[in-house]
Amino acid sequence: MAKMMSSPPRRAPRPADPCSMVLFGATGDLTQRLVIPALYNLSRTDTLPESFTLIGVARAETTTEAWRNELYQSLQKFVGAAKAEAGPDGVDAAAWRRLADRMVYVPGDLSKPELYETLRGVLDQAASDNGTQGNAIFYLAIAAQLFCTVVKHLCEAKLINPPREADEGPKFWRRVVIEKPFGHSLDSARDLNTRLGRILNEDQIFRIDHFLGKDTVQSIMAFRFGNGLFEPIWNRDRIDHVQITAAETVGVETRGRFYEATGALRDMLPNHLLTLLSMVAMEPPVSFDAANILAKKAEVLAAIPEVKPACAVRGQYGAGEVLGKEARAYRREANVAPDSNVETYVAMRLEVDNWRWAGVPFYLRTGKHLSRRVTEIAIRFKPAPYKPFQDTPVVALRPNWLLLRIAPDEAISLQFEIKRPGPAMDLASVKMDFRYEDWFPKEANVGYETLIYDVMIGDQTLFMRADMVEQTWRIVQPALDGWAEEDANGGAAEMPAYASGGAGPGEAATLLARDGRSWLPIDDAGSGEPA
């Protein structure tokens, strides 16, 4: 492992508040793949509160012991080999026991008031037995159409707003975690925010997105504002354009029913990619607290004009080969209509209409069954003047690229020109690469650890405010409307197709070619060479 040049001692995180977490959807896929592994990792790193209770809620008629056993079996699949003290299955027995001993399962129908009366007793018991002090997180790992139903019942059962003592603040806190999607259109997002806002204060709502829990995402602000080298050139004078890519090799797999109602745009653009854009483009905050950071992100989103339908491209994967394996077309996936017009790929050209970024295009793309899995922000700087080199054997000076890679390997890469050794003025492109795993011990992380911890301490920095959610839907709504109109007029048959294992539809390349630009190739991410 490389040695850091200079660094203060690692700062211990603030202790999380004692609390209970009521996990609605406790037997679901999200719980098994992400929430439980994250809680286990928090236990393993001693970040989970000593006074903690996990209360699982679902319709399944099972017992606490059976629920624990099922989660343990799934944990063995999703948690890698741990430390030396881990058991033969790779799970740290002591860390799991600390979590398992604090689990309670409550079966019930989310639409029935009786369930919430039962929850009141379980929460009171947790406060008495485990010292949770009445603090509670209500985690909605459930279908979006049930969000308001559950919150309404929590309110009617008086489980949301804590009691107050005379002339004092709340005796304890109550917070609600909502999984995406936060609506499926601008109107639905506004309706959801309005209905939640009638019951909850904004500081009680945590709209969670595991994408934002990754170290590289959080490091964007540290990289920008902690280094005097980059901030002076982070503007329209020096930056030519920005590309944000989230490419996946997987298809829809078992999520056909979900994807048929969602599509690539709704699934990825309003949350993941536009949030990354806001972090790249935001102005420096006055301080790094949640209120200031969220205000700066919101300013960026408000400055983005609505996308023009001509600047949005969609596509759907056909048959092909991905990572050496035969892949079938989207329309042949399980629970997908044979004439489906749902997009599995989307590319978009946006601009930020403010003093820092006016005239700088931001290109966003995401898709399934592509040639390589990679999530990255690529920033292309304007080229240096060519005239001093016109007598040298170079056709043109290559542009400088700064690449912030978020997945699968978290890294930062800078490409620039140097002179080759020798008497001639001969230029070559080189890269300086920083990879997290070269400098820091690898830590098990599914992306939710930081976010769940932040909910426990009440820090909303990495979450979306209501106005930010509505702004993201405002930006993309014209594309959704335009595609709906096309489909109503028989446009589904003309939807651009792309072969599984490729780079996406040719129309996406045309989107940049109109501006005289090219995408960085997905199958060689980080090269700095245009497609």
Side-chain angles (χ1 to χ4, degrees):
M1 186 177 72
K3 182 179 180 181
M4 283 179 286
M5 296 170 58
S6 176
S7 176
R10 182 166 183 163
R11 186 163 55 94
R14 166 186 152 188
D17 294 345
C19 64
S20 294
M21 176 186 286
V22 181
L23 182 56
F24 294 97
T27 59
D29 181 65
L30 177 69
T31 292
Q32 295 185 3
R33 286 189 305 108
L34 295 173
V35 179
I36 293 301
L39 289 171
Y40 161 79
N41 286 333
L42 290 175
S43 174
R44 191 176 53 80
T45 56
D46 295 322
T47 311
L48 199 69
E50 275 295 322
S51 300
F52 177 76
T53 300
L54 178 63
I55 304 168
V57 180
R59 295 179 66 98
E61 289 291 339
T62 188
T63 65
T64 296
E65 188 61 31
W67 181 54
R68 282 195 199 112
N69 291 338
E70 181 182 359
L71 293 178
Y72 184 83
Q73 292 172 14
S74 67
L75 188 66
Q76 295 174 46
K77 303 175 187 175
F78 296 113
V79 174
K83 303 175 183 177
E85 63 267 23
D89 52 13
V91 176
D92 183 326
W96 169 250
R97 181 50 51 195
R98 281 193 297 273
L99 178 60
D101 286 347
R102 292 166 173 79
M103 288 183 179
V104 180
Y105 181 80
V106 178
D109 186 333
L110 301 186
S111 65
K112 302 296 184 183
E114 308 89 73
L115 169 64
Y116 301 87
E117 292 303 319
T118 301
L119 278 180
R120 178 195 305 283
V122 177
L123 285 168
D124 290 343
Q125 192 68 40
S128 173
D129 294 349
N130 293 337
T132 60
Q133 300 179 14
N135 298 325
I137 298 167
F138 298 101
Y139 196 120
L140 309 189
I142 53 179
Q145 59 266 31
L146 294 174
F147 291 165
C148 291
T149 298
V150 171
V151 171
K152 176 175 175 288
H153 280 297
L154 289 171
C155 177
E156 291 173 348
K158 295 183 169 48
L159 292 173
I160 286 288
N161 296 311
R164 295 176 179 268
E165 296 179 347
D167 302 322
E168 293 184 9
K171 295 171 64 176
F172 47 78
W173 51 256
R174 297 286 164 93
R175 296 166 185 153
V176 177
V177 177
I178 298 176
E179 280 283 348
K180 73 176 184 71
F182 316 123
H184 56 85
S185 65
L186 177 56
D187 288 342
S188 63
R190 284 173 173 164
D191 179 64
L192 177 61
N193 284 333
T194 298
R195 294 171 69 186
L196 293 176
R198 292 182 184 135
I199 298 172
L200 300 164
N201 297 323
E202 183 62 29
D203 63 5
Q204 291 180 285
I205 304 172
F206 290 74
R207 299 170 184 84
I208 196 167
D209 181 353
H210 76 279
F211 204 72
L212 304 184
K214 297 181 180 294
D215 279 324
T216 311
V217 174
Q218 299 173 60
S219 293
I220 293 172
M221 288 185 292
F223 180 80
R224 280 193 58 191
F225 305 126
N227 295 289
L229 174 64
F230 295 104
E231 183 55 27
I233 60 173
W234 210 269
N235 54 58
R236 58 189 166 94
D237 293 334
R238 295 291 178 265
I239 291 178
D240 178 78
H241 73 276
V242 178
Q243 299 181 19
I244 301 178
T245 299
E248 299 179 280
T249 54
V250 297
V252 298
E253 298 181 333
T254 61
R255 302 172 71 216
R257 188 171 286 108
F258 164 80
Y259 219 76
E260 279 288 273
T262 307
L265 191 153
R266 289 185 172 94
D267 190 37
M268 295 292 290
L269 263 292
N271 37 70
H272 298 341
L273 299 192
L274 281 173
T275 298
L276 290 181
L277 189 159
S278 71
M279 298 177 81
V280 170
M282 65 185 281
E283 293 296 318
V286 174
S287 65
F288 283 92
D289 58 50
N292 278 289
I293 290 174
L294 291 176
K296 294 303 180 183
K297 290 182 183 178
E299 286 178 5
V300 171
L301 295 173
I304 301 175
E306 296 175 0
V307 65
K308 298 175 182 177
C311 292
V313 170
R314 60 175 172 166
Q316 186 183 93
Y317 64 77
E321 186 177 288
V322 180
L323 302 179
K325 295 182 179 180
E326 185 178 347
R328 59 188 172 188
Y330 174 75
R331 292 181 179 180
R332 298 190 63 188
E333 299 281 19
N335 299 312
V336 170
D339 59 348
S340 175
N341 60 353
V342 171
E343 79 283 357
T344 61
Y345 179 101
V346 61
M348 195 171 287
R349 183 191 191 278
L350 298 173
E351 292 194 0
V352 180
D353 192 7
N354 62 15
W355 280 95
R356 182 182 290 266
W357 296 108
V360 176
F362 286 75
Y363 301 103
L364 283 57
R365 61 176 169 171
T366 183
K368 291 186 173 295
H369 265 187
L370 299 177
S371 59
R372 183 182 178 187
R373 176 184 169 231
V374 62
T375 301
E376 132 182 310
I377 300 165
I379 299 167
R380 173 176 162 168
F381 293 92
K382 292 182 177 179
Y386 175 65
K387 186 173 177 59
F389 297 92
Q390 61 185 355
D391 295 327
T392 63
V394 293
V395 176
L397 292 178
R398 296 172 184 262
N400 301 133
W401 288 91
L402 175 65
L403 306 177
L404 308 175
R405 194 168 311 123
I406 295 162
D409 55 329
E410 298 179 307
I412 298 173
S413 177
L414 179 64
Q415 177 185 301
F416 53 93
E417 295 295 297
I418 57 97
K419 176 187 172 298
R420 294 179 191 269
M425 176 56 76
D426 189 9
L427 299 183
S429 295
V430 297
K431 290 192 301 178
M432 290 194 302
D433 291 327
F434 158 78
R435 297 191 305 169
Y436 267 78
E437 63 183 31
D438 291 340
W439 290 80
F440 302 103
K442 191 169 181 61
E443 298 182 8
N445 189 301
V446 296
Y448 271 46
E449 290 83 355
T450 296
L451 300 173
I452 291 175
Y453 166 76
D454 284 350
V455 177
M456 292 176 176
I457 65 173
D459 186 345
Q460 292 190 309
T461 302
L462 298 176
F463 299 83
M464 295 275 277
R465 277 190 338 211
D467 59 327
M468 296 168 66
V469 169
E470 293 178 20
Q471 289 288 1
T472 61
W473 283 111
R474 173 192 62 79
I475 293 165
V476 302
Q477 191 63 49
L480 293 170
D481 293 342
W483 294 344
E485 184 177 352
E486 283 181 16
D487 296 340
N489 295 323
E494 303 301 323
M495 175 181 285
Y498 61 96
S500 291
E507 287 80 354
T510 303
L511 181 67
L512 272 69
R514 293 200 302 250
D515 296 337
R517 300 184 175 96
S518 302
W519 292 108
L520 291 184
I522 291 174
D523 57 358
D524 191 22
S527 70
E529 294 288 345

